[in-house]
Amino acid sequence: MAEKILMKGNEAIAHGAIRCGADGYFGYPITPQSEVMETLMEEKPWETTGMVVLQAESETSSINMVYGGASTGKKVMTSSSSLGISLMAEGLSYLAGAELPCVVVNVMRGGPGLGTIQPSQADYFQAVKGGGHGDYKMIVLAPASAQDMYDFVGKGFDLAFKYRNPVMILSDGVIGQMMEKVELGEMKPRRTSEEVAQQCPWALTGKHSGRNRNIITSLALDPNVQEKTNQRLQAKYAEIEKNEVICQTYRTEDAEHLFVAYGSMSRICEAVVDQAREAGYKVGLLRPVTLYPYPTANIQALVPQLKSIMAVEMSAGQMVEDVRLAVEGKVPVNFYGRMGGMIPSPDDIFEAFVKSINK
Amino acid sequence: MKEELIIAGFGGQGVLSMGKILAYSGIMQDKEVTWMPSYGPEMRGGTANVTVILSDKKIGSPILSKCDTAIILNQQSMDKFEGMVKPGGLLIYDPNGITRHPERKDINICSIEAAEESARIGNLKAFNMIVLGAFLKKKPVVSMESVVKGLKKSLPERHHHLIPMNEQAIKIGMDKVVDTNVL
């Protein structure tokens, strides 16, 4: 078995990138995710795998460098935090419109505006419902441990290339800054130019007589053409919704009450489930691992056995809207959240839960 | 086995690195560990704290409502964390700079003159290892052997020659810890 190393979630992102054979990282420092680029700079992958690591002059540059790299079929990524992701929003929409694969990591902090550097989950809407303009979707993965941070980079690239679509890893300051054991997987070599040309026939790999010119663009002035693009995107999103939902459950078999929480909050709710069970409440937890596509059907399947649901987020209540859409009013959906960088403790959540079912 | 502890003091006292060494020592004994720091301005001289959990089983929440042990190294942390110790739990503190000593009667309390001892041996940087020694004397959750291995893992190689000094500091902490409230 591979050695287990104590590292921060942010460091795990960097190691995940190198070891899954990423070709390039473009970023700009921001707390609480600066260790991603710091670790990459320390590891110097350009000397080993040939991976490019570049500090751009801004987040806007980073995302457009990602656009350029992705156009050539390379595995490229960036990372930032909340306000930095806002600066990238235009680029994300362009990447989605041009159907380019990439991985974007958001280690969320409290907002709006400059906000705080403390953890938050208030960018759920931005990640899942848009952020940039136009009818587009990103595949959104929500890690809950340092190991997830490591694993989701490789997984993210697999999904990004499978669907030619941006993938966002939506993390937060807790998961980014916390150290845990991480088991590093095997080192996957970067793809050769031949492999890229073969696996990504759409990519800009240099035109030769064997094929027609490839065009990467999100521009279609003719609305007939643009509508066809939109229809193709929507068909792709339907495929993603059919195939790629991931969620985990904890002690739901006989649960009468359900917590729904993702990322760091799912970890805290796991402790609350144990605490509530000890106090005699039949409680379980559903953790969406993919936030888009959302585990709507998994929640619906539990509805007949439930008396109530409580969504827990470090936000004013964003994901809870998707829980409500899933249950269609068949069971009361309560919400508990803290904002602005405050992290709820297990006791805070337990107390809110007891209050919610006795009201 | 599950030990949930909070270490809190000033930035620069080695609070975070003490937690890191403890976490790494846990890994050496094949335990599950989490290390959750306060981050941000604390690192530049305010108060810093870290939550460390060592467990035989998978760890759920890295955030605690209550802890088994609080290691408290300044007054602000005393005010904030004394109440978080579970009844029957342990509070270890350095009385240096403490104006209000812990008052609870339902927990075990120990003091360690780590600032004084580190000055006595002429190595102020040994402060956090003296505190770690006091903790390990009271709660031997990891062996000395694992701590040395943990030090090797968490220190960059250029600092490995300092490991014997760190070991010495841990032993001083083990010798000098004093019970002030025993249940």
Side-chain angles (χ1 to χ4, degrees), chain B residues 114-128 130 162 165-166 169:
Chain B
E116 204 174 292
E117 288 299 325
S118 63
R120 188 179 60 79
I121 61 169
N123 188 350
L124 297 178
K125 286 189 173 168
F127 171 83
N128 63 347
I130 295 173
L162 297 173
M165 185 275 289
N166 280 291

Side-chain angles (χ1 to χ4, degrees), chain A residues 3 117 179 181 267 347, chain B residues 24 31 35 39 60 65 153:
Chain A
E3 191 192 5
I117 58 174
M179 287 208 279
K181 279 201 278 197
R267 292 282 294 270
D347 279 358
Chain B
Y24 242 123
K31 296 196 183 305
W35 175 97
Y39 61 88
S65 308
K153 285 278 177 190

Side-chain angles (χ1 to χ4, degrees), chain A residues 6, chain B residues 17 20-21 24 147 149-156 160:
Chain A
L6 186 69
Chain B
S17 58
K20 192 172 162 186
I21 290 160
Y24 242 123
V147 175
K149 280 195 207 160
L151 278 165
K152 274 191 189 140
K153 285 278 177 190
S154 54
L155 290 174
H160 279 191

Side-chain angles (χ1 to χ4, degrees), chain A residues 52-306:
Chain A
V52 171
V53 182
L54 188 76
Q55 179 174 333
E57 67 270 40
S58 70
E59 289 85 349
T60 314
S61 287
S62 310
I63 197 69
N64 285 294
M65 289 174 182
V66 167
Y67 186 105
S71 302
T72 65
K74 297 290 186 188
K75 281 186 179 180
V76 290
M77 66 182 288
T78 183
S79 64
S80 191
S81 177
S82 301
L83 48 159
I85 298 290
S86 292
L87 281 170
M88 294 183 184
E90 179 198 48
L92 291 171
S93 174
Y94 276 54
L95 281 151
E99 293 188 79
L100 290 175
C102 65
V103 171
V104 177
V105 183
N106 181 2
V107 183
M108 292 182 277
R109 59 188 252 186
L114 263 177
T116 167
I117 58 174
Q118 300 302 322
S120 165
Q121 295 181 317
D123 304 346
Y124 179 90
F125 285 153
Q126 186 192 43
V128 170
K129 310 284 179 188
H133 59 281
D135 277 319
Y136 79 93
K137 293 281 185 188
M138 292 189 288
I139 298 169
V140 182
L141 306 173
S145 65
Q147 186 70 51
D148 281 350
M149 293 283 255
Y150 176 88
D151 293 337
F152 286 5
V153 179
K155 182 176 188 53
F157 275 119
D158 289 346
L159 288 166
F161 277 86
K162 182 174 175 187
Y163 293 102
R164 279 187 63 184
N165 205 68
V167 169
M168 177 167 277
I169 298 176
L170 191 68
S171 182
D172 66 58
V174 173
I175 304 298
Q177 291 296 323
M178 177 172 59
M179 287 208 279
E180 290 187 292
K181 279 201 278 197
V182 176
E183 191 177 335
L184 300 181
E186 60 179 294
M187 190 77 138
K188 275 169 65 182
R190 286 174 52 235
R191 291 183 302 193
T192 62
S193 299
E194 291 73 30
E195 283 167 338
V196 171
Q198 194 201 352
Q199 290 167 26
C200 308
W202 49 267
L204 307 183
T205 50
K207 179 177 166 0
H208 51 82
S209 55
R211 67 162 167 83
N212 288 327
R213 165 168 91 115
N214 284 342
I215 297 171
I216 301 287
T217 182
S218 64
L219 173 72
L221 289 175
D222 180 348
N224 292 303
V225 177
Q226 184 57 37
E227 188 178 44
K228 287 217 165 58
T229 303
N230 278 112
Q231 284 162 347
R232 190 174 68 246
L233 290 177
Q234 293 303 318
K236 177 167 84 175
Y237 302 148
E239 275 297 298
I240 292 170
E241 286 171 25
K242 201 172 80 189
N243 300 330
E244 306 301 343
V245 173
I246 309 171
C247 81
Q248 287 175 351
T249 54
Y250 180 66
R251 303 184 81 168
T252 52
E253 299 76 23
D254 62 341
E256 294 173 351
H257 304 280
L258 183 72
F259 284 111
V260 183
Y262 69 95
S264 57
M265 287 306 100
S266 70
R267 292 282 294 270
I268 298 178
C269 284
E270 208 177 297
V272 182
V273 167
D274 292 341
Q275 194 174 343
R277 288 260 173 186
E278 264 174 47
Y281 299 100
K282 289 187 171 174
V283 185
L285 165 70
L286 185 141
R287 171 201 165 198
V289 177
T290 51
L291 299 179
Y292 179 81
Y294 196 73
T296 305
N298 306 69
I299 293 175
Q300 282 167 346
L302 287 169
V303 163
Q305 74 188 62
L306 295 176

